[in-house]
Amino acid sequence: MNTMIKGNTKLYCVIGNPIEHSISPQIHNSIFEKLENNSIYLPLNIKRENLQESVGVFKNSFKGFNVTIPHKQDIINYLDELDEQASIYGAVNTVKVQDGRLIGYNTDGYGFSKGLEINNIDVKEKSILLLGAGGAARVVAYELINKGASLTIATRDEKKAKNLIKDLENIFGKNSSSYEDINKVKAGYFGIVNATPVGMAPQVDAIPINEDVLKGTEFVFDLIYNPYKTKLIEVGESYGAKGINGMVMLFYQAVRAQEIWKGYTLEDSKTLPIYEEVEKYLKTI
Ligand code: NAP
């Protein structure tokens, strides 16, 4: 980190609780260090009960901030404006401070789609198995249907998957999303996306589906980035699938956040070398 903090240094941060394990500071500061002078990004531990009183500080002192668990929904109460996509997801991960106003965005969908794009995966008219029906699954489902995929949402709680399917129908009209019990799902999908925390450190030997389901699939996109390679990806790769971990999504949601804050476009030719550097770092933790 070479930035000397001065009176006019532009401040950015991520707010959440806990925040110690966030790798967003590494990602954002790496981008700032390479592409932008005089900006810095800090991890701020803000408890749920302190969110409201903290908002004034962000408004006055920061140019923008990211929002993570547990504030992604609550922050909406304090915004002056909400971007359409964030409104559809009902969750905000990026806030821009503009002329004393707070504008909320969600860049997770962009990050996920960029992960598919970088790996040359076209899901149009393909059947995709999505595991989970939480906040991240909602974003992924929206992106996949928007790209013309047909979706099977597999969960342990039927009601949650069916609620998500109903919400998707409200947005897209009738679509081909369907429900499966995560413990009974069978092989036959073009791609599998894991949006459950199953397999995340320290439970690294856990896998959310029966291993046989991975047979014949072209890609396995696990939103988890710690460990770098989950068991799901490991088994998928052993059956010949392309494995993609959550790092690419995390990195490109950050890139999109910076584009929103700064009002410019960051070309792949500039971001890819930084991505490779951050990825190398991540493999060591
Ligand atoms: P969430 O809202 O809590 O949703 C988690 C989903 O996983 C729920 O559907 C939950 O089902 C299901 N689940 C949890 N434990 C399960 C188990 N043992 N077996 C089957 N299903 C289980 O969490 P989220 O925010 O969507 O995050 C999900 C994952 O995505 C996390 O690993 C998170 O780190 C990752 N993520 C990555 C990125 C990225 O940029 N790479 C971004 C966002 C999230 P129940 O409702 O039945 O518990």
Side-chain angles (χ1 to χ4, degrees):
M1 171 63 51
N2 297 322
T3 305
M4 164 80 78
I5 301 178
K6 298 178 282 214
N8 66 354
T9 298
K10 295 180 208 92
L11 302 181
Y12 298 86
C13 66
V14 54
I15 62 166
N17 179 30
I19 206 69
E20 299 75 35
H21 303 299
S22 171
I23 58 168
S24 289
Q26 277 100 327
I27 294 176
H28 282 279
N29 287 316
S30 298
I31 301 173
F32 284 152
E33 205 169 294
K34 295 278 181 331
L35 306 177
E36 170 81 28
N37 282 322
N38 208 19
S39 291
I40 193 145
Y41 185 100
L42 307 163
L44 298 190
N45 194 324
I46 307 284
K47 290 191 182 133
R48 200 185 271 272
E49 60 270 28
N50 296 335
L51 180 63
Q52 183 168 12
E53 68 184 38
S54 310
V55 167
V57 177
F58 306 139
K59 231 176 200 176
N60 291 317
S61 305
F62 285 78
K63 299 281 179 200
F65 57 96
N66 285 132
V67 183
T68 187
I69 292 166
H71 306 309
K72 280 184 160 189
Q73 282 88 28
D74 294 352
I75 191 71
I76 294 173
N77 298 322
Y78 309 110
L79 301 176
D80 298 292
E81 199 179 319
L82 191 59
D83 167 77
E84 192 190 334
Q85 218 163 0
S87 161
I88 288 170
Y89 298 155
V92 161
N93 78 335
T94 298
V95 178
K96 178 174 181 156
V97 184
Q98 193 167 34
D99 305 322
R101 298 176 76 249
L102 299 181
I103 310 168
Y105 299 85
N106 193 311
T107 66
D108 282 337
Y110 177 88
F112 174 75
S113 286
K114 198 74 186 174
L116 292 178
E117 184 194 315
I118 283 177
N119 286 284
N120 297 315
I121 292 169
D122 183 0
V123 296
K124 190 160 186 229
E125 288 168 16
K126 301 284 200 251
S127 66
I128 307 293
L129 176 64
L130 172 60
L131 310 175
R138 181 169 292 268
V139 168
V140 166
Y142 177 93
E143 293 294 315
L144 288 171
I145 292 179
N146 217 14
K147 290 178 196 312
S150 91
L151 212 58
T152 299
I153 301 174
T155 57
R156 55 186 178 179
D157 179 342
E158 179 172 354
K159 214 164 124 209
K160 284 192 184 152
K162 292 210 162 151
N163 279 344
L164 176 54
I165 290 170
K166 208 179 334 141
D167 289 348
L168 290 167
E169 279 175 3
N170 287 337
I171 298 164
F172 293 101
K174 200 86 193 123
N175 62 74
S176 53
S177 316
S178 61
Y179 162 77
E180 275 288 343
D181 182 331
I182 198 164
N183 296 310
K184 294 188 184 149
V185 66
K186 300 234 160 31
Y189 294 94
F190 175 76
I192 299 175
V193 181
N194 179 32
T196 80
V198 181
M200 188 150 70
Q203 266 85 48
V204 295
D205 289 328
I207 183 161
I209 42 173
N210 186 313
E211 292 188 14
D212 285 348
V213 183
L214 290 150
K215 283 182 184 159
T217 193
E218 294 278 324
F219 76 89
V220 182
F221 194 152
D222 197 330
L223 304 197
I224 293 170
Y225 47 83
N226 181 16
Y228 182 77
K229 198 178 268 196
T230 57
K231 179 151 186 219
L232 183 75
I233 293 185
E234 227 170 70
V235 175
E237 284 180 346
S238 76
Y239 287 132
K242 174 178 265 203
I244 307 166
N245 77 15
M247 179 60 199
V248 68
M249 174 170 170
L250 187 72
F251 182 80
Y252 277 98
Q253 64 76 26
V255 166
R256 183 72 195 119
Q258 291 217 6
E259 290 180 334
I260 289 167
W261 294 331
K262 304 279 184 180
Y264 53 53
T265 304
L266 292 169
E267 306 295 342
D268 285 355
S269 57
K270 286 186 174 161
T271 56
L272 275 172
I274 304 173
Y275 172 62
E276 278 159 18
E277 213 172 90
V278 175
E279 197 183 27
K280 221 182 279 168
Y281 161 78
L282 195 75
K283 280 182 183 166
T284 67
I285 60 170

